[in-house]
Amino acid sequence: MKILHTADWHLGKRLDRFSRLEEQVLVMNEIVQIADEQNVDLVLIAGDLFDNFNPGVEAAELFYKTLKRLSLNGKRPVIAISGNHDSPSLINAPDPLARECGIILIGHPKAEIVPFGTGYFNITNSKEGFIELKIDGINFPVRILHTPFANEIRLKEYFGENKEEEINKVLAQEWKNLADQFCDDTGVNLLTAHLYMNKRGAEILEEPEGEKPIKIGNADLIFSDSIPEQIQYTALGHLHGFQNIGTKEKPVVYSSSPLCYSFSEAGQKKYVSIIDVEPGKAVSYEKKILENGRTLVRKTFNSIEDAVQWLSDHPNTFIELTLESETFLTADERRLIYQSHNGIVHLIPKVRNLELSEDQNHVINLSQDIDILFKDYFKSKNGGQEANEELMNLFNEILNA
């Protein structure tokens, strides 16, 4: 059978003042197209479905329409779990209606899904944190251990009070109990979770800028050796770059977000994972690149002309632009830069040679003229840079008003 794994949609997310909804519509269409072209039998969405607990109407509409299209109106099961950006109750709310379309929404850790069928597939077994499906045309069961994100309160509620020292132990035991009870070589065995997971002893993986952190120190870090040996593929969400922290034979995969959502992701390619799997054998998976969405770029220039030329040549980008110069940018220079591109998220002026040595510090004479006092103050706060004529005119205009 074939499975599509995606995560971290963050529907409704903005980049500073810029909406990403138009790009999200395009990339959701692309994911649906890949699912159809690859003729996948199951879709797993591993959390952070929305960007916040109260998504806007347009984001919610895009979410439900996308799931309905992925599900082929009930023919293909779609399983979506909540992430740390999602409200579990909001994710659970439409579940009775979603089931009519073959969509299984799981908001809380250890949720128990009431068995149901669509005429194309059936949930044949269910327990807290586990479901088993029988899909028409596939002659073996599909077992899925599911662990949506749990914050500290939910972790204590579901996993006990000693969360910080016990989370790895408790999750490992929970997963092992379920795998030992339900997972054998007669079916396909999967785990989907929204967690901060890594190999034991490996270099710490950085969470994206702007991402609500899961990892506080190392207290919430889950190690991949907690995954039961019966599990053939683990579908993770939370980190936005595609990576396999497992092995070739038993992948543990972050499928990546569908778009670059912060400048820490500048230059990243985005993917979904297409998994080929059958009982009792090693899985294979393929990264399918997502082509839609504006590229995020960090660039530094030391001349206005070079910056404007590059901006004109790269219109379909969001940019964090740093300009190094000997003086501060004038209002006309800023206007020229912003007029040359509609995707400048941050403009960072960097004035060279501003360092003052200690012997340049001096006592300010408060009896001086206000203009001189302002120039001294500006100079002291900006590493010795003189206030230019434009700034002084603006200061006097405000002063006189």
Side-chain angles (χ1 to χ4, degrees):
M1 68 177 295
K2 273 190 174 182
I3 301 165
L4 185 148
H5 164 208
T6 178
D8 297 286
W9 288 1
H10 289 276
L11 298 181
K13 188 172 180 66
R14 301 180 69 84
L15 182 62
D16 200 67
R17 67 187 184 279
F18 294 96
S19 169
R20 310 297 301 278
L21 195 67
E22 185 177 330
E23 296 168 85
Q24 289 177 332
V25 169
L26 294 174
V27 81
M28 291 296 107
N29 289 339
E30 190 176 0
I31 291 172
V32 171
Q33 184 178 350
I34 291 171
D36 292 344
E37 288 175 351
Q38 293 291 314
N39 196 25
V40 302
D41 303 294
L42 170 68
V43 176
L44 299 176
I45 311 168
D48 279 356
L49 314 171
F50 297 107
D51 192 54
N52 57 62
F53 273 36
N54 297 296
V57 172
E58 290 177 314
E61 183 178 358
L62 177 58
F63 175 66
Y64 296 126
K65 284 185 174 179
T66 302
L67 293 194
K68 190 169 185 289
R69 292 172 64 200
L70 283 171
S71 74
L72 298 175
N73 293 318
K75 295 180 182 179
R76 177 196 289 146
V78 175
I79 299 171
I81 64 173
S82 66
N84 57 307
H85 282 249
D86 300 312
S87 161
S89 298
L90 179 72
I91 300 306
N92 281 340
D95 187 52
L97 284 174
R99 292 180 191 183
E100 299 293 321
C101 296
I103 299 162
I104 302 164
L105 300 172
I106 307 173
H108 290 278
K110 298 182 74 177
E112 184 169 358
I113 308 302
V114 177
F116 70 95
T118 66
Y120 298 96
F121 73 87
N122 293 283
I123 293 183
T124 54
N125 206 346
S126 177
K127 194 173 180 178
E128 289 183 352
F130 171 83
I131 55 173
E132 181 179 85
L133 297 92
K134 180 67 179 71
I135 303 171
D136 282 7
I138 296 174
N139 61 1
F140 49 81
V142 182
R143 293 77 171 253
I144 302 169
L145 279 60
H146 51 82
T147 304
F149 172 73
N151 62 19
E152 187 167 355
I153 294 170
R154 278 179 249 154
L155 281 169
K156 286 180 178 178
E157 179 183 347
Y158 292 111
F159 300 137
E161 285 294 323
N162 298 322
K163 188 265 298 184
E164 290 192 1
E165 53 186 80
E166 296 293 332
I167 183 169
N168 268 284
K169 204 178 294 182
V170 172
L171 274 179
Q173 192 60 53
E174 291 277 337
W175 289 339
K176 184 178 186 304
N177 290 344
L178 291 170
D180 288 348
Q181 186 175 354
F182 298 109
C183 299
D184 58 30
D185 286 350
T186 65
V188 160
N189 305 311
L190 310 168
L191 167 65
T192 184
H194 193 91
L195 296 166
Y196 184 92
M197 187 180 285
N198 202 1
K199 287 181 181 177
R200 194 178 295 272
E203 183 179 345
I204 293 294
L205 301 170
E206 291 300 321
E207 295 175 286
E209 288 177 7
E211 176 64 33
K212 294 177 183 176
I214 288 180
K215 180 176 69 68
I216 308 299
N218 287 332
D220 295 297
L221 177 60
I222 311 301
F223 295 114
S224 55
D225 57 16
S226 301
I227 299 169
E229 60 180 15
Q230 296 96 321
I231 298 299
Q232 295 166 272
Y233 181 94
T234 299
L236 293 178
H238 181 57
L239 300 185
H240 289 187
F242 193 105
Q243 52 201 310
N244 175 15
I245 62 168
T247 63
K248 182 179 178 182
E249 295 75 20
K250 293 187 176 180
V252 179
V253 172
Y254 286 103
S255 63
S256 86
S257 56
L259 297 173
C260 293
Y261 283 129
S262 70
F263 283 101
S264 64
E265 301 167 51
Q268 280 186 9
K269 299 293 184 184
K270 299 300 183 177
Y271 305 91
V272 296
S273 180
I274 303 293
I275 306 116
D276 278 290
V277 58
E278 58 184 297
K281 296 186 179 179
V283 307
S284 63
Y285 72 92
E286 178 185 6
K287 299 189 300 184
K288 284 287 182 184
I289 193 165
L290 297 170
E291 303 286 358
N292 280 286
R294 294 174 75 162
T295 305
L296 269 62
V297 182
R298 279 175 161 152
K299 292 287 287 184
T300 299
F301 295 95
N302 53 24
S303 85
I304 304 294
E305 293 76 16
D306 289 346
V308 168
Q309 182 63 56
W310 188 94
L311 291 168
S312 301
D313 292 341
H314 299 83
N316 194 36
T317 57
F318 286 119
I319 182 167
E320 180 184 275
L321 178 63
T322 300
L323 269 168
E324 295 183 348
S325 61
E326 301 295 336
T327 61
F328 286 96
L329 295 173
T330 66
D332 286 341
E333 287 170 334
R334 283 179 173 272
R335 193 177 302 111
L336 175 64
I337 290 165
Y338 277 110
Q339 285 174 347
S340 66
H341 199 281
N342 67 357
I344 299 173
V345 181
H346 304 298
L347 175 58
I348 306 169
K350 187 175 180 182
V351 181
R352 293 191 290 265
N353 304 319
L354 291 187
E355 291 77 14
L356 271 176
S357 61
E358 288 187 8
D359 59 0
Q360 288 176 290
N361 293 333
H362 61 279
V363 175
I364 295 174
N365 179 4
L366 295 180
S367 64
Q368 295 177 98
D369 182 80
I370 188 69
D371 279 10
I372 297 172
L373 282 173
F374 176 76
K375 286 179 179 178
D376 267 358
Y377 177 77
F378 183 87
K379 196 171 180 179
S380 72
K381 291 297 182 183
N382 292 279
Q385 174 68 28
E386 297 282 355
N388 60 24
E389 182 181 355
E390 183 181 14
L391 184 62
M392 290 309 301
N393 289 339
L394 180 61
F395 173 74
N396 283 312
E397 182 182 331
I398 292 168
L399 189 66
N400 293 329

